[in-house]
């Protein structure tokens, strides 16, 4: 079927893992489908903006490196922390629009082997939606290029109806401060009252290390053990960024491909504006957390959003 | 947060989520979950992003660009819910090939319950169960509650691979594994609906509140239904 469609790019080397993501599934969670979506929502958003795409257009989310050959004249953009973009052997900037033409060779890579890089292609991706989204969920075997949840492989072609090209650049002050050492905001909630005051204080004052046990489902951290008074509880809905503690007391932060229900006690949720920085923290990188009331967190989120919106309307 | 009718606890679940825990015994609390779910999905306010029902709780996620948690709290507290459930839920009649060779845990169930194979099948097929929650994986429906006699614990060591369509019990619950996966439940049989099913979009749809009864089929009937799909 795909060979009749206009081809945007051909994957030469998918690197460690390259998948197709979009904004994720807004429905289906009540039936057990993961929300999915981009791990780093900021990088995803700006990649699409640079290509003049709709906000919900798919992008590639890749780890390690990615090499592809261009098959159409179109805009491309690459975002993520410290990403190197090489087009036909020449180094180019990330967070910037590039006009490419057929036969161009593009290679991207990141300093950090677990960094998530986003590649947007200017145009409409011609893919089959599953539950309102093309987002790849490997665990569920849904979404992606062939609808079966498989990551991209060498030789895969992305069908796309190309759009117009407009050169843009994301100003430095709108690129997430990935290296910031500021504590990550957590909105206390769920079973927070069931954690002993000492355990709670420990969690919000200690450093936690990002382990190598990290994926789109969740990030396991390592640090001082934190336990709650709960021995067993009923499974309940898990929101994005929820921090749960299995009996070993080591936190797991639940992310895009998290299961919909779970029964471990949770101390609260990471504020969405701090998730990009969290998920881009390298293995063995250290993070720490601070409590932030829901109202304050929402205010921070709205401020960040209005900063973005103001820039977008002014740059029109 | 101040409590309102039917609710024993309400908590933040991030900047864009509130989780409501309902009071009452499991059946009643689960009914409340459905009542609130129905009321919200019927009203469909623009600010709702998703609603995730579970055993005795409802996670309400909202668009925090439009509203804040105070607004959502007030909305939930003032929400008019139908306390008499009119039966719009479906009733599923599920065929099971009991004691299919790859799903035969009757011996260990007997060790816990003292029940013979026929008695176990009899108890599993004569009760009508209710879907309490759907989740963990697409199409995985937690059904209950099993009669007291049939209660047996999860396996001490979970299996690495439970076959697709396996009908299983654990504690007070019964479920069907929609896809082959690891699992720690005791297996009773196979449901032909799931045979060679690859697309999660084709999964039988279970909704919280649906009713379920199982009935026994033979291997021949299993093969007939499985090839008929």
């Amino acid at each position: 079927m795909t060979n009749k469609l206009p081809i945007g790019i051909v994957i030469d080397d998918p690197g460690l893992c390259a998948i197709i993501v979009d904004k994720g599934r807004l429905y289906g969670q009540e039936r057990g489908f993961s929300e999915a979506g981009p791990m780093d929502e900021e990088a995803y958003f700006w990649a699409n903006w640079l290509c003049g795409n709709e906000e919900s257009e798919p992008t590639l989310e890749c780890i390690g490196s990615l090499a592809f050959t261009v098959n159409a004249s179109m805009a491309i953009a690459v975002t993520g922390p410290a990403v190197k973009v090489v087009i036909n052997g020449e180094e180019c900037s990330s967070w910037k629009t590039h006009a490419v033409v057929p036969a161009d060779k593009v290679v991207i890579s990141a300093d950090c082997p677990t960094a998530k890089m986003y590649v947007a292609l200017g145009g409409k991706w011609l893919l089959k939606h599953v539950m309102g989204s093309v987002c790849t969920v490997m665990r569920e075997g849904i979404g992606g290029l062939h609808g079966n949840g498989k990551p991209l492989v060498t030789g895969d072609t992305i069908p796309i109806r190309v759009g117009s090209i407009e050169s843009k650049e994301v100003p430095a002050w709108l690129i997430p401060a990935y290296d910031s050492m500021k504590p990550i905001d957590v909105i206390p909630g769920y079973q927070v009252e069931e954690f002993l005051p000492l355990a709670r204080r420990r969690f919000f004052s200690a450093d936690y290390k990002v382990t190598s046990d990290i994926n789109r489902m969740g990030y396991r951290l390592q640090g001082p053990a934190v336990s709650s008074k709960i021995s067993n509880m009923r499974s309940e809905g898990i929101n994005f960024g929820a921090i749960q503690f299995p009996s070993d007391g080591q936190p797991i932060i639940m992310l895009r491909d998290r299961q919909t229900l779970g029964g471990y006690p949770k101390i609260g949720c990471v504020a969405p504006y701090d998730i990009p920085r969290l998920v881009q923290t390298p293995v063995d990188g250290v993070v720490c957390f601070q409590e932030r009331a829901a109202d304050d967190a929402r205010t921070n989120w709205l401020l960040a959003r209005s900063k973005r919106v103001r820039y977008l309307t002014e740059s029109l | 947060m101040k409590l309102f009718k039917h609710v024993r606890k309400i908590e933040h679940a991030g900047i864009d989520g509130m989780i409501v825990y309902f009071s009452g015994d499991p059946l009643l609390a689960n009914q409340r979950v459905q009542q609130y779910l129905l009321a919200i999905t019927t009203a469909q306010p623009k600010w709702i992003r998703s609603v995730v029902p579970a055993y005795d709780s409802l996670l309400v996620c909202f668009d925090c660009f439009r509203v804040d948690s105070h607004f959502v709290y007030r909305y939930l507290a003032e929400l008019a819910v139908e306390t008499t459930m009119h039966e719009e839920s479906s009733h599923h009649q599920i065929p099971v090939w009991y004691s299919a060779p790859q799903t035969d845990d009757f011996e260990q169930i007997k060790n816990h319950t003292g029940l013979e194979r026929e008695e176990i099948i009899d108890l599993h097929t004569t009760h009508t169960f209710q879907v309490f929650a759907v989740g963990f994986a697409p199409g995985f429906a937690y059904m209950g509650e099993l009669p007291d006699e049939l209660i047996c614990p999860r396996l001490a060591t979970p299996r690495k691979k439970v076959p697709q369509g396996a009908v299983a019990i654990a504690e007070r619950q019964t479920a069907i594994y929609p896809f082959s996966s690891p699992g720690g439940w005791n297996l009773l049989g196979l449901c032909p609906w799931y045979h060679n099913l690859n697309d999660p979009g084709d999964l039988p749809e279970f909704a919280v509140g649906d009713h379920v009864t199982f009935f026994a089929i033979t291997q021949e009937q299993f093969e007939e239904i499985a090839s008929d799909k």
Side-chain angles (χ1 to χ4, degrees), chain A residues 46 173-174 302-316, chain B residues 65:
Chain A
W46 289 111
W173 55 276
L174 280 169
L302 288 173
L303 281 172
R305 267 309 140 102
S306 57
K307 197 164 87 168
R308 181 199 273 185
V309 169
R310 206 176 321 122
Y311 175 75
L312 295 180
T313 37
E314 279 166 9
S315 69
L316 277 180
Chain B
F65 213 72

Side-chain angles (χ1 to χ4, degrees), chain B residues 11-49:
Chain B
E11 283 288 347
H12 289 287
I15 67 170
D16 60 350
M18 300 279 275
I19 185 159
V20 188
Y21 300 91
F22 294 94
S23 47
D25 62 62
L27 268 171
L28 183 62
N30 195 253
Q31 244 168 44
R32 307 274 196 227
V33 173
Q34 295 161 50
Q35 289 158 0
Y36 275 77
L37 177 69
L38 182 69
I40 295 170
T41 47
T42 309
Q44 264 188 353
K46 280 206 165 57
W47 47 264
I48 282 280
R49 279 188 46 239

